């Protein structure tokens, strides 16, 4: 809402209005006796106070608005207590008017900010639930189904008209296509002067009218119609044969639901709200009602009764406006199908899907298309699509004769299964499926061949990458092994060199240092051995030469020394 430009005050008012609608649903009533009659009282006043606080109105005024009816007289206002059923209706009416005014206000705000000025350039989206057939069908279901009948009629007309325009434009021979026209059902519901909704509006203008009188009027005017079924028992219901099937409607509270009037005291209560957004909504609504009443008063009593401000009248007017807008546009239809009611995956409820197809008009559309030529192709598209079946590389010249020639070459042709127009060739579904089956086979073979070559290409590419990687890995491995062998050899050579150097240095050391010492030691040892081995001689008996003896005697003074040692 910030993106759409809603102010914080407006956002707060939106949340307050929505919360108040939810809290109003929690307001319950109980009966009690007052002056001999049964009237309604609120079970718990807490919800009333919460709603009053949210909407910033008086709690007493709100409680009185949903439990009493106000009658204006010349001198005073008379408050009449409501029964429990009437109080529930009054509570629901307050909730409905709150939600309705908020919805319209939001729609106007958003459209005013995002809707383009040039309507011809706009895109509109219509979202509608679809056909309804519930256990209890009331006035709401009748309006919804009437809208679906109208939109289905528009849809069939668009499809049928497009078929006819296509055949006329292409100048082919064709028969008028029959389709189920549901205009009679639409007339039964809303045509003047005795449509069901018209009768309902007429009855809403009579104070003494009831749901029973409305039902009797419907039986009287439509009892003989093939599309209208009266109940066999005197029950307050009737049955209509819609395009999607039979639906039985219970007329309980039809007249009450058709009234779109909010009591003046309720409008005054909410117009006096301290919340500016709430008060503005109801003031604007009151002004609109006043202008409608003034215009109705000028038209007179008959016009006032026939143009009553009822829900059905507003609904028909809105639906007619919608159809007129759709007719000015180029419509595209999107049908949504629910596979099951439980929102479960992988579960397909065949009956539910068939019902939705029938209710949404898809079956009727398929039948209309099937009666004619559902497949239409321009000449160039047809030749380009099926040229591969005849092994043609280039598209032939686009004309009808070449399309027919290609068609007869491709498959056997039954009469009435094709027609040639001005710019297109029209085919029946069976012929189209036959051509598509042949094309699928050719495409399958082509796809397999293409896959084979692509697989070969990628395998070859991967092999080349793998081979290059392996070659690189091998070179790395060889280099690694060579480096390992080199390092090992280097290690061994270093060890060998160290041993050699050790040996050489040891020899040098021995030669330079140890060898002289050893020789000296050996010489010493030899001398010692020689000394040890030398014979001992008694020197006392040694002969003294004569010259030595003479010298000795001379030195001794003629004394004989060592006479015992001299050997004369």
């Amino acid at each position: 809402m910030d993106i759409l430009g809603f102010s914080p005050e407006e956002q707060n008012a939106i949340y307050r209005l929505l919360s108040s609608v939810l809290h109003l649903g929690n307001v319950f009533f109980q009966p009690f006796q007052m002056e001999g009659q049964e009237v309604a009282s609120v079970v718990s006043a807490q919800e009333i106070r919460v709603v009053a606080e949210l909407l910033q109105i008086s709690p007493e005024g709100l409680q009185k608005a949903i439990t009493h009816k106000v009658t204006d007289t010349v001198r005073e206002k008379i408050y009449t207590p409501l029964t429990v059923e009437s109080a529930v209706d009054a509570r629901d009416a307050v909730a409905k008017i709150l939600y309705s005014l908020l919805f319209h206000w939001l729609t106007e705000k958003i459209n005013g900010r995002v809707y383009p000025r040039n309507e011809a350039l706009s895109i509109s989206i219509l979202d509608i639930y679809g056909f309804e057939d519930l256990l209890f069908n009331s006035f709401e279901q009748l309006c919804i189904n009437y809208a679906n009948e109208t939109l289905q009629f528009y849809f069939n007309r668009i499809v049928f008209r497009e078929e006819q325009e296509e055949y006329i434009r292409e100048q082919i021979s064709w028969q008028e296509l029959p389709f189920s026209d549901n205009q009679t059902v639409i007339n039964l519901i809303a045509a003047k002067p005795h449509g069901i909704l018209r009768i309902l509006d007429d009855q809403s203008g009579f104070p003494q009218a009831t749901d029973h009188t409305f039902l009797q009027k419907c039986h009287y005017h439509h009892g003989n119609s093939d599309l209208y079924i009266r109940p066999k028992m005197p029950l307050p219901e009737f049955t209509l044969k819609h395009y999607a099937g039979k639906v039985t409607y219970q007329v309980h509270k039809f007249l009450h639901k058709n009234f779109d009037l909010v009591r003046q005291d309720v409008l005054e209560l909410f117009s006096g709200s301290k919340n500016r957004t709430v008060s503005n909504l109801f003031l604007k609504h009151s002004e609109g009602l006043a202008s409608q009443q003034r215009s109705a008063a000028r038209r007179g009593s008959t016009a006032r009764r026939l143009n009553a401000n009822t829900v059905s009248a507003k609904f028909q007017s809105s639906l007619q406006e919608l159809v007129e807008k759709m007719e000015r546009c180029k419509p595209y239809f999107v049908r949504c199908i629910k596979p099951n009611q439980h929102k479960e995956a992988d579960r397909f409820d065949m009956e539910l899907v068939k019902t939705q197809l029938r209710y949404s008009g898809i079956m009727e559309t398929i039948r209309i298309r099937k009666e004619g030529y559902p497949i239409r192709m321009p000449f160039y598209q047809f030749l380009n699509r099926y040229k591969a079946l005849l092994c043609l590389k280039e598209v032939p010249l686009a004309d009808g004769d070449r399309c027919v020639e290609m068609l007869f070459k491709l498959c056997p042709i039954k009469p009435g299964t094709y027609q040639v127009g001005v710019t297109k060739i029209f085919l029946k579904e069976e012929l189209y499926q036959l051509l598509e089956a042949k094309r699928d086979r050719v495409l399958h073979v082509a796809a397999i061949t293409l896959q084979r070559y692509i697989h070969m290409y990628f395998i070859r590419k991967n092999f080349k990458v793998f081979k290059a990687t392996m070659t690189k890995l091998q070179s790395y491995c060889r280099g690694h092994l060579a480096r390992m062998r080199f390092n090992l050899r280097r290690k061994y050579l270093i060890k060998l060199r160290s041993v050699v150097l050790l040996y050489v240095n040891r020899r040098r050391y021995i030669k330079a240092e140890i060898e002289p010492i050893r020789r000296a030691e050996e010489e010493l040892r030899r001398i010692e051995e020689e000394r040890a081995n030398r014979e001992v001689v008694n020197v006392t008996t040694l002969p003294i030469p004569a010259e030595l003896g003479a010298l000795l005697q001379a030195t001794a003074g003629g004394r004989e020394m060592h006479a015992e040692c001299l050997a004369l």
Side-chain angles (χ1 to χ4, degrees):
M1 287 191 288
D2 293 331
I3 297 175
L4 292 173
F6 285 93
S7 65
E9 180 184 358
E10 291 174 338
Q11 294 183 33
N12 181 52
I14 293 170
Y15 295 141
R16 284 177 174 271
L17 281 166
L18 291 175
S19 300
S20 64
V21 172
L22 296 175
H23 281 286
L24 276 173
N26 297 330
V27 176
F28 298 99
F29 304 94
Q30 62 183 2
F32 78 100
Q33 296 293 328
M34 187 180 71
E35 297 179 359
Q37 63 181 20
E38 189 178 85
V39 297
S41 66
V42 178
V43 174
S44 173
Q46 177 62 27
E47 296 295 337
I48 296 292
R49 289 193 293 270
V50 170
V51 175
E53 173 64 23
L54 289 171
L55 299 177
Q56 298 181 359
I57 57 176
S58 169
E60 294 78 10
L62 177 60
Q63 183 168 347
K64 187 170 289 187
I66 62 176
T67 57
H68 291 76
K69 180 178 68 174
V70 180
T71 304
D72 288 328
T73 62
V74 178
R75 297 181 179 180
E76 60 180 352
K77 293 182 178 181
I78 301 175
Y79 290 90
T80 304
L82 299 175
T83 62
V84 172
E85 185 178 3
S86 299
V88 170
D89 293 338
R91 177 203 65 187
D92 294 344
V94 172
K96 287 178 182 178
I97 190 63
L98 286 172
Y99 188 83
S100 176
L101 293 179
L102 174 63
F103 179 81
H104 288 294
W105 178 74
L106 282 173
T107 304
E108 291 177 358
K109 280 277 187 181
I110 294 173
N111 285 341
R113 288 167 182 169
V114 304
Y115 192 71
R117 296 182 181 275
N118 188 355
E119 188 176 352
L121 301 177
S122 64
I123 297 176
S124 301
I125 299 176
L126 171 64
D127 183 11
I128 187 168
Y129 177 75
F131 192 80
E132 287 191 356
D133 184 9
L134 309 178
L135 296 177
F136 184 88
N137 300 291
S138 187
F139 176 68
E140 297 86 356
Q141 281 67 46
L142 179 61
C143 292
I144 291 173
N145 292 340
Y146 167 57
N148 278 280
E149 287 283 358
T150 304
L151 294 177
Q152 180 63 28
F153 176 77
Y154 170 77
F155 175 70
N156 288 343
R157 187 177 60 185
I158 290 295
V159 173
F160 181 71
R161 185 176 62 194
E162 288 180 351
E163 292 283 309
Q164 288 183 330
E165 290 177 353
E166 184 79 10
Y167 295 156
I168 294 174
R169 185 168 55 250
E170 292 295 326
Q171 300 178 8
I172 67 171
S173 59
W174 62 285
Q175 296 179 353
E176 186 173 350
L177 301 176
F179 72 100
S180 57
D181 187 0
N182 60 341
Q183 183 65 52
T184 53
V185 182
I186 297 175
N187 294 338
L188 175 65
I189 297 174
K192 295 179 180 180
H194 301 306
I196 294 175
L197 294 180
R198 299 291 180 176
I199 296 174
L200 182 62
D201 286 345
D202 290 342
Q203 291 293 299
S204 298
F206 293 104
Q208 304 300 324
T210 62
D211 293 331
H212 179 71
T213 60
F214 160 70
L215 182 61
Q216 295 304 317
K217 285 275 188 179
C218 292
H219 289 343
Y220 175 77
H221 289 287
H222 305 295
N224 296 325
S225 174
D226 296 334
L227 303 175
Y228 185 93
I229 302 175
R230 299 178 58 172
K232 296 181 180 179
M233 302 294 292
L235 299 175
E237 63 184 28
F238 63 90
T239 302
L240 296 182
K241 293 182 180 179
H242 292 281
Y243 75 91
K246 297 179 181 179
V247 180
T248 300
Y249 299 95
Q250 287 74 24
V251 298
H252 181 60
K253 289 190 176 181
F254 254 56
L255 266 69
H256 174 76
K257 293 178 179 180
N258 193 40
F259 282 111
D260 192 29
L261 296 176
V262 181
R263 299 201 312 266
Q264 187 63 32
D265 60 314
V266 176
L267 295 178
E268 293 175 356
L269 172 66
F270 288 102
S271 298
S273 171
K274 296 179 182 179
N275 188 301
R276 187 171 61 181
T277 303
V278 176
S279 61
N280 289 339
L281 287 177
F282 280 88
L283 286 173
K284 184 177 179 181
H285 181 67
S286 300
E287 293 174 359
L289 290 178
S291 63
Q292 288 180 4
Q293 291 174 0
R294 287 193 297 269
S295 61
R298 288 194 297 268
R299 288 195 296 266
S301 60
T302 303
R304 184 165 60 251
R305 179 170 59 84
L306 293 178
N307 294 277
N309 186 24
T310 60
V311 174
S312 65
K314 287 186 176 181
F315 187 81
Q316 293 177 74
S317 175
S318 176
L319 182 61
Q320 184 63 30
E321 182 181 356
L322 171 65
V323 173
E324 291 176 356
K325 286 183 178 180
M326 292 175 66
E327 288 178 344
R328 294 196 300 268
C329 303
K330 174 64 176 178
Y332 295 91
F333 300 93
V334 178
R335 303 292 190 181
C336 300
I337 305 298
K338 290 193 301 183
N340 59 77
Q341 293 284 14
H342 306 286
K343 299 181 180 179
E344 297 179 0
D346 300 327
R347 182 177 176 182
F348 196 83
D349 189 343
M350 185 64 70
E351 290 299 325
L352 176 63
V353 173
K354 286 171 59 178
T355 302
Q356 293 179 85
L357 291 175
R358 185 172 64 253
Y359 286 178
S360 60
I362 298 297
M363 304 300 291
E364 180 65 19
T365 305
I366 293 173
R367 191 191 66 81
I368 293 176
R369 294 296 298 268
K370 188 177 179 181
E371 292 294 330
Y373 295 91
I375 310 301
R376 308 95 192 266
M377 292 187 189
F379 295 148
Y380 180 82
Q381 180 183 349
F382 178 84
L383 295 171
N384 185 55
R385 186 173 182 82
Y386 299 113
K387 67 178 182 178
L389 303 182
L390 298 178
C391 301
L392 300 177
K393 294 184 179 180
E394 300 295 333
V395 181
L397 183 64
D399 58 23
D401 294 336
R402 284 181 171 79
C403 290
V404 174
E405 180 181 354
M406 177 180 287
L407 195 60
F408 275 91
K409 288 180 180 179
L410 291 175
C411 57
I413 306 299
K414 297 180 182 179
T417 55
Y418 80 96
Q419 284 204 44
V420 180
V422 177
T423 61
K424 296 179 181 180
I425 182 169
F426 292 74
L427 306 175
K428 289 285 188 179
E429 182 68 23
E430 55 179 344
L431 181 57
Y432 174 72
Q433 292 297 336
L434 182 59
L435 293 174
E436 286 297 305
K438 291 190 174 185
R439 182 174 180 269
D440 289 340
R441 286 195 295 270
V442 172
L443 291 178
H444 180 68
V445 173
I448 293 177
T449 305
L450 181 61
Q451 287 177 353
R452 185 170 67 249
Y453 280 100
I454 290 176
H455 290 164
M456 181 183 66
Y457 168 76
F458 282 112
I459 291 173
R460 182 178 295 171
K461 182 179 179 181
N462 294 336
F463 173 74
K464 289 182 178 179
V465 173
F466 176 75
K467 183 179 179 180
T469 305
M470 292 306 298
T471 303
K472 189 179 293 185
L473 179 62
Q474 287 176 354
S475 65
Y476 288 157
C477 291
R478 290 192 184 99
H480 176 69
L481 293 175
R483 283 190 294 270
M484 286 182 64
R485 287 193 297 269
F486 172 77
N487 292 331
L488 187 61
R489 291 176 180 177
R490 182 181 179 185
K491 178 181 177 181
Y492 290 156
L493 288 173
I494 291 173
K495 286 184 179 182
L496 178 61
R497 182 182 178 187
S498 64
V499 172
V500 172
L501 290 176
L502 178 64
Y503 175 76
V504 171
N505 292 332
R506 187 170 179 274
R507 291 294 300 270
R508 290 176 181 174
Y509 175 77
I510 290 173
K511 187 176 182 181
E513 301 292 337
I514 304 300
E515 189 67 24
I517 296 172
R518 187 175 62 78
R519 284 197 299 267
E521 289 178 352
E522 288 179 354
E523 183 66 24
L524 182 62
R525 190 166 52 252
R526 186 183 61 79
I527 294 171
E528 288 178 353
E529 287 179 357
E530 286 179 356
R531 286 179 181 178
N533 295 331
R534 183 181 299 170
E535 185 178 348
V536 180
V537 180
N538 190 359
V539 295
T540 61
T541 62
L542 288 176
I544 299 174
E547 295 84 359
L548 179 60
L551 290 175
L552 287 175
Q553 287 179 3
T555 58
R559 293 177 296 171
E560 290 183 359
M561 297 182 66
H562 303 291
E564 70 275 16
C565 296
L566 294 177
L568 297 179

